[in-house]
Amino acid sequence: QVQLVESGGGLVKPGGSLRLSCAASGFTFSDYYMSWIRQAPGKGLEWVSYISSSSSYTNYADSVKGRFTISRDNAKNSLYLQMNSLRAEDTAVYYCARGQYYDRQAFDIWGQGTMVTVSS
Amino acid sequence: AIQLTQSPSSLSASVGDRVTITCRASQGISSALAWYQQKPGKAPKLLIYDASSLESGVPSRFSGSGSGTDFTLTISSLQPEDFATYYCQQFNNYPPLTFGGGTKVEIK
Protein backbone atom coordinates (compact mmCIF):
# COMPACT_ATOMS: atom_id res chain seq x y z
CA GLN A 1 0.00 0.00 0.00
CA VAL A 2 1.42 3.31 -1.10
CA GLN A 3 1.76 5.49 1.97
CA LEU A 4 3.46 8.53 3.46
CA VAL A 5 3.52 9.03 7.23
CA GLU A 6 4.76 12.27 8.77
CA SER A 7 6.05 12.69 12.31
CA GLY A 8 7.93 15.20 14.42
CA GLY A 9 5.40 17.98 14.79
CA GLY A 10 4.68 19.70 18.08
CA LEU A 11 4.75 22.90 20.08
CA VAL A 12 7.89 25.01 19.85
CA LYS A 13 8.78 28.51 20.99
CA PRO A 14 9.54 31.30 18.51
CA GLY A 15 13.15 31.05 17.44
CA GLY A 16 13.22 27.32 18.12
CA SER A 17 13.87 24.36 15.86
CA LEU A 18 12.03 21.23 14.84
CA ARG A 19 12.76 18.36 12.47
CA LEU A 20 9.93 16.73 10.59
CA SER A 21 10.17 13.25 9.10
CA CYS A 22 8.15 11.48 6.43
CA ALA A 23 8.33 7.71 6.04
CA ALA A 24 7.46 6.32 2.62
CA SER A 25 6.29 2.81 1.81
CA GLY A 26 4.71 0.87 -1.04
CA PHE A 27 6.65 2.52 -3.87
CA THR A 28 10.22 3.08 -5.04
CA PHE A 29 10.95 6.20 -3.02
CA SER A 30 14.23 6.93 -4.80
CA ASP A 31 12.39 7.40 -8.14
CA TYR A 32 10.38 10.44 -7.04
CA TYR A 33 10.73 14.12 -6.29
CA MET A 34 9.25 14.90 -2.90
CA SER A 35 7.78 18.08 -1.45
CA TRP A 36 6.67 19.60 1.82
CA ILE A 37 3.43 21.57 1.69
CA ARG A 38 1.83 23.37 4.62
CA GLN A 39 -1.58 24.68 5.58
CA ALA A 40 -2.05 27.27 8.30
CA PRO A 41 -5.21 26.87 10.40
CA GLY A 42 -8.24 27.78 8.32
CA LYS A 43 -6.08 28.78 5.34
CA GLY A 44 -5.11 27.41 1.95
CA LEU A 45 -2.22 25.29 0.79
CA GLU A 46 1.34 26.65 0.54
CA TRP A 47 4.20 24.78 -1.09
CA VAL A 48 7.28 24.91 1.14
CA SER A 49 10.10 22.96 -0.51
CA TYR A 50 10.99 20.16 -2.88
CA ILE A 51 13.91 17.82 -3.39
CA SER A 52 14.83 15.82 -6.46
CA SER A 53 14.99 12.04 -6.42
CA SER A 54 18.77 11.94 -5.94
CA SER A 55 18.94 15.08 -3.73
CA SER A 56 20.72 16.96 -6.54
CA TYR A 57 18.13 19.76 -6.57
CA THR A 58 16.33 21.50 -3.77
CA ASN A 59 14.14 24.58 -3.77
CA TYR A 60 12.31 26.62 -1.20
CA ALA A 61 9.50 29.11 -0.89
CA ASP A 62 10.80 32.60 -0.17
CA SER A 63 8.98 32.52 3.18
CA VAL A 64 11.26 29.74 4.48
CA LYS A 65 14.45 30.19 2.49
CA GLY A 66 17.51 30.27 4.74
CA ARG A 67 15.59 28.83 7.70
CA PHE A 68 14.36 25.45 6.48
CA THR A 69 16.38 22.60 4.95
CA ILE A 70 14.91 19.67 3.07
CA SER A 71 16.77 16.38 2.82
CA ARG A 72 16.14 12.71 2.14
CA ASP A 73 17.65 9.32 2.81
CA ASN A 74 16.72 6.95 -0.01
CA ALA A 75 18.18 3.97 1.86
CA LYS A 76 15.70 4.64 4.66
CA ASN A 77 12.82 5.72 2.39
CA SER A 78 12.60 8.91 4.38
CA LEU A 79 12.16 12.62 3.76
CA TYR A 80 13.05 15.32 6.27
CA LEU A 81 12.44 19.00 6.91
CA GLN A 82 14.76 20.78 9.35
CA MET A 83 13.06 23.95 10.52
CA ASN A 84 15.11 26.59 12.32
CA SER A 85 14.35 30.12 13.55
CA LEU A 86 10.68 29.28 13.69
CA ARG A 87 8.11 32.06 13.68
CA ALA A 88 4.46 32.23 14.66
CA GLU A 89 3.54 32.35 10.97
CA ASP A 90 5.10 28.90 10.47
CA THR A 91 2.25 27.41 12.51
CA ALA A 92 0.53 24.95 10.20
CA VAL A 93 -0.15 21.36 9.32
CA TYR A 94 2.84 20.13 7.32
CA TYR A 95 2.25 17.52 4.63
CA CYS A 96 4.80 15.55 2.68
CA ALA A 97 3.72 14.74 -0.85
CA ARG A 98 5.01 12.83 -3.86
CA GLY A 99 5.45 14.52 -7.22
CA GLN A 100 4.03 12.43 -10.07
CA TYR A 101 7.07 12.72 -12.33
CA TYR A 102 10.20 14.85 -12.36
CA ASP A 103 8.65 17.16 -14.95
CA ARG A 104 5.11 16.97 -13.61
CA GLN A 105 4.99 18.19 -10.04
CA ALA A 106 1.36 17.42 -9.34
CA PHE A 107 1.09 15.64 -6.00
CA ASP A 108 -0.51 12.22 -6.22
CA ILE A 109 0.28 10.84 -2.76
CA TRP A 110 0.01 12.85 0.47
CA GLY A 111 0.70 12.01 4.08
CA GLN A 112 -1.84 12.65 6.82
CA GLY A 113 0.02 15.73 8.02
CA THR A 114 1.78 16.73 11.21
CA MET A 115 0.89 19.86 13.18
CA VAL A 116 3.54 22.43 14.04
CA THR A 117 2.61 25.15 16.51
CA VAL A 118 4.99 28.03 17.15
CA SER A 119 3.99 29.88 20.28
CA SER A 120 5.48 31.17 23.50
CA ALA B 1 5.67 33.86 -9.10
CA ILE B 2 2.55 32.73 -10.93
CA GLN B 3 -0.64 33.66 -9.10
CA LEU B 4 -3.71 31.44 -9.34
CA THR B 5 -7.10 33.03 -8.72
CA GLN B 6 -10.03 30.73 -8.05
CA SER B 7 -13.66 31.73 -8.30
CA PRO B 8 -15.96 31.62 -6.60
CA SER B 9 -14.35 31.33 -3.17
CA SER B 10 -17.44 29.47 -1.99
CA LEU B 11 -20.68 28.21 -3.42
CA SER B 12 -23.83 26.49 -2.25
CA ALA B 13 -25.29 23.72 -4.35
CA SER B 14 -27.68 20.82 -4.12
CA VAL B 15 -27.14 17.14 -4.75
CA GLY B 16 -27.45 16.53 -8.47
CA ASP B 17 -26.39 20.05 -9.48
CA ARG B 18 -23.73 20.73 -12.08
CA VAL B 19 -20.92 22.71 -10.47
CA THR B 20 -18.16 24.66 -12.20
CA ILE B 21 -15.10 26.17 -10.51
CA THR B 22 -12.66 28.39 -12.37
CA CYS B 23 -8.94 28.98 -11.91
CA ARG B 24 -7.14 31.83 -13.65
CA ALA B 25 -3.35 32.03 -13.90
CA SER B 26 -1.48 35.33 -13.90
CA GLN B 27 0.46 34.16 -16.94
CA GLY B 28 0.24 31.25 -19.34
CA ILE B 29 0.97 27.83 -17.87
CA SER B 30 0.15 25.62 -20.87
CA SER B 31 -1.77 22.63 -19.42
CA ALA B 32 0.35 22.27 -16.28
CA LEU B 33 -2.51 22.47 -13.83
CA ALA B 34 -3.86 20.08 -11.21
CA TRP B 35 -7.05 20.05 -9.14
CA TYR B 36 -7.37 18.70 -5.60
CA GLN B 37 -10.24 17.96 -3.26
CA GLN B 38 -9.80 18.43 0.48
CA LYS B 39 -12.25 17.42 3.20
CA PRO B 40 -12.00 18.82 6.75
CA GLY B 41 -9.13 17.35 8.73
CA LYS B 42 -7.87 15.35 5.75
CA ALA B 43 -5.03 15.66 3.27
CA PRO B 44 -5.80 16.91 -0.22
CA LYS B 45 -6.58 14.33 -2.89
CA LEU B 46 -5.48 14.67 -6.51
CA LEU B 47 -8.43 14.70 -8.92
CA ILE B 48 -7.11 16.06 -12.22
CA TYR B 49 -3.63 16.63 -13.63
CA ASP B 50 -2.43 18.16 -16.90
CA ALA B 51 -5.63 20.25 -16.79
CA SER B 52 -7.91 17.48 -18.05
CA SER B 53 -6.49 14.04 -17.16
CA LEU B 54 -8.50 12.17 -14.56
CA GLU B 55 -6.44 10.60 -11.79
CA SER B 56 -6.93 6.87 -11.40
CA GLY B 57 -9.88 6.00 -9.18
CA VAL B 58 -11.53 9.41 -9.40
CA PRO B 59 -15.20 9.30 -10.46
CA SER B 60 -15.94 10.33 -14.04
CA ARG B 61 -18.34 13.07 -12.88
CA PHE B 62 -15.20 15.14 -12.30
CA SER B 63 -13.68 16.76 -15.37
CA GLY B 64 -11.19 19.50 -16.10
CA SER B 65 -10.61 21.73 -19.07
CA GLY B 66 -8.59 24.72 -20.20
CA SER B 67 -5.10 25.74 -21.16
CA GLY B 68 -2.99 28.87 -21.04
CA THR B 69 -4.50 31.04 -18.32
CA ASP B 70 -8.10 29.86 -17.88
CA PHE B 71 -9.14 26.53 -16.41
CA THR B 72 -12.30 24.92 -15.09
CA LEU B 73 -13.18 22.01 -12.85
CA THR B 74 -16.66 20.63 -13.42
CA ILE B 75 -18.65 18.22 -11.29
CA SER B 76 -21.42 16.99 -13.56
CA SER B 77 -23.82 15.79 -10.85
CA LEU B 78 -22.87 16.76 -7.30
CA GLN B 79 -22.91 13.90 -4.81
CA PRO B 80 -23.04 14.13 -1.00
CA GLU B 81 -19.40 13.09 -0.72
CA ASP B 82 -18.32 15.96 -3.01
CA PHE B 83 -18.92 18.66 -0.43
CA ALA B 84 -15.37 19.81 0.21
CA THR B 85 -12.83 22.50 -0.66
CA TYR B 86 -11.19 22.40 -4.08
CA TYR B 87 -7.77 23.80 -4.99
CA CYS B 88 -5.97 24.30 -8.26
CA GLN B 89 -2.16 24.14 -8.51
CA GLN B 90 0.26 25.04 -11.29
CA PHE B 91 3.47 23.19 -12.08
CA ASN B 92 4.55 24.92 -15.28
CA ASN B 93 6.82 27.62 -13.93
CA TYR B 94 8.51 26.99 -10.59
CA PRO B 95 9.76 27.50 -8.03
CA PRO B 96 7.51 28.34 -6.46
CA LEU B 97 4.82 25.77 -7.06
CA THR B 98 1.61 27.66 -6.36
CA PHE B 99 -1.95 26.90 -5.34
CA GLY B 100 -5.17 28.80 -5.80
CA GLY B 101 -6.96 30.13 -2.77
CA GLY B 102 -9.57 27.39 -2.73
CA THR B 103 -13.28 27.03 -3.41
CA LYS B 104 -15.53 25.67 -0.68
CA VAL B 105 -18.53 23.73 -1.96
CA GLU B 106 -21.32 23.68 0.60
CA ILE B 107 -24.75 22.12 0.80
CA LYS B 108 -27.65 24.35 -0.15
Side-chain angles (χ1 to χ4, degrees):
Chain A
Q1 170 190 2
V2 175
Q3 190 170 264
L4 297 170
V5 178
E6 300 95 336
S7 60
L11 174 63
V12 61
K13 288 181 169 53
S17 298
L18 212 54
R19 189 195 197 206
L20 305 183
S21 299
C22 170
S25 59
F27 65 98
T28 304
F29 180 70
S30 58
D31 284 349
Y32 293 89
Y33 278 47
M34 298 294 296
S35 280
W36 289 98
I37 296 154
R38 68 184 180 183
Q39 186 169 37
K43 302 297 185 183
L45 300 167
E46 180 189 17
W47 170 79
V48 172
S49 178
Y50 74 71
I51 186 167
S52 64
S53 54
S54 62
S55 303
S56 299
Y57 306 106
T58 60
N59 263 299
Y60 300 89
D62 286 347
S63 57
V64 307
K65 201 171 292 183
R67 301 187 299 122
F68 289 13
T69 302
I70 192 171
S71 62
R72 65 191 295 163
D73 184 336
N74 287 343
K76 295 183 177 179
N77 293 332
S78 293
L79 175 73
Y80 307 101
L81 186 68
Q82 177 67 44
M83 304 186 295
N84 299 331
S85 303
L86 282 160
R87 306 167 179 167
E89 55 265 35
D90 296 318
T91 295
V93 174
Y94 284 73
Y95 297 101
C96 61
R98 186 180 85 170
Q100 281 186 308
Y101 299 105
Y102 77 96
D103 61 348
R104 187 202 292 160
Q105 290 302 300
F107 304 113
D108 60 352
I109 305 296
W110 295 65
Q112 85 287 354
T114 187
M115 183 71 205
V116 172
T117 303
V118 184
S119 175
S120 54
Chain B
I2 294 176
Q3 313 294 328
L4 297 178
T5 303
Q6 285 184 237
S7 60
S9 56
S10 65
L11 65 90
S12 295
S14 300
V15 173
D17 283 354
R18 182 181 182 88
V19 169
T20 298
I21 298 167
T22 66
C23 177
R24 175 163 289 174
S26 59
Q27 63 189 77
I29 58 170
S30 186
S31 296
L33 189 96
W35 289 96
Y36 301 88
Q37 176 193 67
Q38 187 179 33
K39 296 181 179 179
K42 299 294 187 182
K45 173 187 175 183
L46 178 64
L47 300 175
I48 302 283
Y49 61 92
D50 288 348
S52 61
S53 296
L54 194 67
E55 175 70 348
S56 176
V58 174
S60 59
R61 63 181 180 272
F62 290 93
S63 64
S65 65
S67 68
T69 60
D70 294 309
F71 302 86
T72 61
L73 172 70
T74 299
I75 309 172
S76 60
S77 178
L78 198 66
Q79 298 302 300
E81 60 268 30
D82 300 337
F83 291 96
T85 300
Y86 294 84
Y87 294 93
C88 58
Q89 177 236 330
Q90 70 83 20
F91 49 91
N92 182 73
N93 189 338
Y94 59 94
L97 293 151
T98 50
F99 292 87
T103 296
K104 187 173 184 179
V105 176
E106 299 176 300
I107 301 172
K108 182 183 282 185

